[in-house]
Amino acid sequence: MPSNHASQKKALKHKKKREVAAKKARESTRLATHPSAGELLRAAAGRPLGPAFVSADWDVDDGMPRLVSVVVSRKVSGQLLLGALVLLDRTCLGVKNAMLFPPQSELELEQRVAKMGYQIGELRRVDPLLAQSAVYNAIDYARALGFEPHRDFPEAVFGPRPSVLIETPLARRAKPLYIQGPDDNVALIVAKLGKAVGPGGFDLTAGIPPGFDFDEDDYDDEGDEPLLST
């Protein structure tokens, strides 16, 4: 009888383990196949950081600042990562645009980043703190000029802001440089700059700087829709 009781107890223990494993599997499947931006961001908040990437030429100094693409990821469920991309204007506007990727494995994320590299320029893997620092240095600089991050900025993936940031290229530019993008409200931006630093306190250049100006279609991967709405 004691032996039978022990067997039942052992079987119950294994059953509970299987139920927990099944629950985790269902959660992973739900996140992977039926995600919404709100769900994904809630799942990412506070989770450990995964791989991060920045444009390979982000530290090139040839007199014309580059728009920089930055990818950061979080380990959200099992082996799944939630990655997000932002486009940085480090000399004026900060986070110009952002998009969220569907949950995927680390290998899938690396493949996605490599594929994007053919379209927007190579991205190289970096320490996550370096990627976060580039983003928050740009945000800090832009906020000092009166510009907030793009409305789709996924704070849950990139933040919270690290207590100590690494110094990154163009983090402390003495004079703002605004380079007009094709969809910018130029009059509004110039008015804000004038208010922040005075009419002669910034430089203005027409045209798009080296680097890719964000277009969601160019970041699309095999039909995946950008997950921007929260």
Side-chain angles (χ1 to χ4, degrees):
M1 188 72 173
S3 176
N4 185 47
H5 178 73
S7 296
Q8 289 178 342
K9 187 175 181 180
K10 187 175 181 180
L12 182 60
K13 184 177 180 181
H14 285 306
K15 180 182 178 183
K16 287 183 177 179
K17 283 185 177 181
R18 287 194 299 270
E19 288 174 349
V20 170
K23 183 179 179 181
K24 288 182 177 179
R26 287 194 301 272
E27 179 186 3
S28 296
T29 302
R30 181 178 60 82
L31 283 172
T33 58
H34 302 290
S36 72
E39 281 184 294
L40 294 173
L41 293 173
R42 285 190 290 274
R47 295 298 180 93
L49 286 158
F53 307 82
V54 299
S55 299
D57 62 352
W58 78 312
D59 52 359
V60 173
D61 183 8
D62 58 6
M64 179 60 77
R66 284 158 167 71
L67 293 174
V68 169
S69 297
V70 182
V71 173
V72 168
S73 64
R74 296 277 176 175
K75 300 173 183 177
V76 292
S77 178
Q79 298 301 309
L80 291 178
L81 295 169
L82 180 63
L85 167 76
V86 298
L87 183 69
L88 291 184
D89 170 4
R90 297 169 292 171
T91 65
C92 185
L93 300 179
V95 176
K96 287 199 67 175
N97 218 322
M99 68 181 293
L100 199 59
F101 302 144
Q104 58 208 282
S105 68
E106 183 170 337
L107 176 59
E108 289 169 331
L109 177 64
E110 290 175 346
Q111 290 172 338
R112 178 185 288 271
V113 169
K115 182 176 178 181
M116 289 192 308
Y118 290 112
Q119 302 164 326
I120 65 175
E122 180 187 359
L123 290 94
R124 69 171 184 244
R125 189 162 177 168
V126 297
D127 184 276
L129 178 58
L130 182 63
Q132 287 178 297
S133 295
V135 172
Y136 281 96
N137 280 331
I139 288 174
D140 289 349
Y141 189 79
R143 276 182 171 152
L145 300 173
F147 301 105
E148 288 297 314
H150 189 275
R151 63 183 179 277
D152 293 325
F153 175 58
E155 182 85 32
V157 178
F158 284 85
R161 185 186 189 278
S163 56
V164 178
L165 300 179
I166 297 171
E167 193 72 11
T168 54
L170 301 176
R172 300 287 182 272
R173 186 177 175 88
K175 193 174 185 181
L177 170 62
Y178 169 51
I179 304 173
Q180 297 178 40
D183 300 317
D184 288 349
N185 184 334
V186 176
L188 178 61
I189 292 170
V190 169
K192 281 192 174 185
L193 284 170
K195 182 177 180 181
V197 297
F202 62 94
D203 294 322
L204 175 65
T205 301
I208 303 172
F212 188 84
D213 200 36
F214 192 95
D215 183 336
E216 289 173 2
D217 291 337
D218 291 299
Y219 289 84
D220 191 38
D221 184 16
E222 298 179 359
D224 291 326
E225 290 294 328
L227 302 170
L228 296 175
S229 174
T230 58

